[in-house]
Amino acid sequence: RQEADDPIALVKDLLTHWQDGRVKLYLIYKALHFRRTQSPLFQEGDYIPLYASGKFREHVCAFARKKGEAWALAVVPRLTSAWIKTASLPVGRECWGDSRLYLPRQAPTLWLNLLTREELEAASGKEAKELRLSDVFQTFPVALLTPRKT
């Protein structure tokens, strides 16, 4: 089961063969499974729109859901065809540069991307916590983040 053993290799394979539709099925499977296991968060949690900064701030759509100590962040790129290379995907530092996503101050610092199992750490800025979009989209062009258990 590649998802548990090496999720990075799995998503890279899915992205290499994106035309066969498996990447879309994987995304739907992971999102619906998370939603089922965290149903109170999605049914009753607060919706928090998130904002970005930097050159590509208009090219990301993100929001958080929060209920008690439970959190979820959904982050997706938008309108990328005009600025990414032909046949490229909007992933990594070369694509996102220094653009950042702002999180509320009370948001957790440590995050886990449920799609890739990558761990992220938010930096504390002057008014909010921040995640680099190049980290959020390091290997996969969509992110579903949950607080990382310490």
Side-chain angles (χ1 to χ4, degrees):
R1 181 167 156 163
Q2 193 176 14
E3 177 187 352
D5 296 338
D6 193 350
I8 298 293
L10 172 63
V11 296
K12 286 182 177 182
D13 180 59
L14 292 173
L15 293 174
T16 300
H17 303 98
W18 64 268
Q19 299 92 336
D20 67 12
R22 290 183 303 136
V23 68
K24 186 175 181 179
L25 291 175
Y26 177 73
L27 177 59
I28 292 168
Y29 155 72
K30 294 297 283 186
L32 288 177
H33 176 74
F34 181 61
R35 183 168 189 205
R36 185 182 70 226
T37 62
Q38 300 293 320
S39 59
L41 174 62
F42 290 96
Q43 292 173 356
E44 304 161 9
D46 295 330
Y47 170 85
I48 304 166
L50 301 177
Y51 303 95
S53 69
K55 182 177 180 181
F56 301 108
R57 68 183 174 274
E58 299 296 325
H59 295 281
V60 66
C61 179
F63 67 91
R65 297 294 297 222
K66 179 188 182 316
K67 180 172 176 33
E69 297 298 312
W71 285 79
L73 302 182
V75 190
V76 297
R78 62 185 289 270
L79 307 171
T80 60
S81 61
W83 55 273
I84 61 172
K85 297 175 186 172
T86 304
S88 293
L89 294 169
V91 295
R93 186 162 177 78
E94 183 179 307
C95 182
W96 291 98
D98 289 331
S99 295
R100 296 178 182 274
L101 182 67
Y102 294 119
L103 309 178
R105 270 230 178 271
Q106 72 271 24
T109 300
L110 302 175
W111 295 91
L112 177 69
N113 187 334
L114 295 174
L115 305 173
T116 64
R117 308 303 293 171
E118 292 170 303
E119 297 178 355
L120 297 96
E121 184 172 353
S124 292
K126 291 180 182 178
E127 298 179 25
K129 289 185 178 171
E130 305 173 355
L131 288 171
R132 288 189 306 261
L133 287 173
S134 60
D135 292 341
V136 172
F137 299 129
Q138 181 62 39
T139 55
F140 199 68
V142 177
L144 180 56
L145 306 177
T146 188
R148 189 181 88 196
K149 307 286 189 258
T150 55

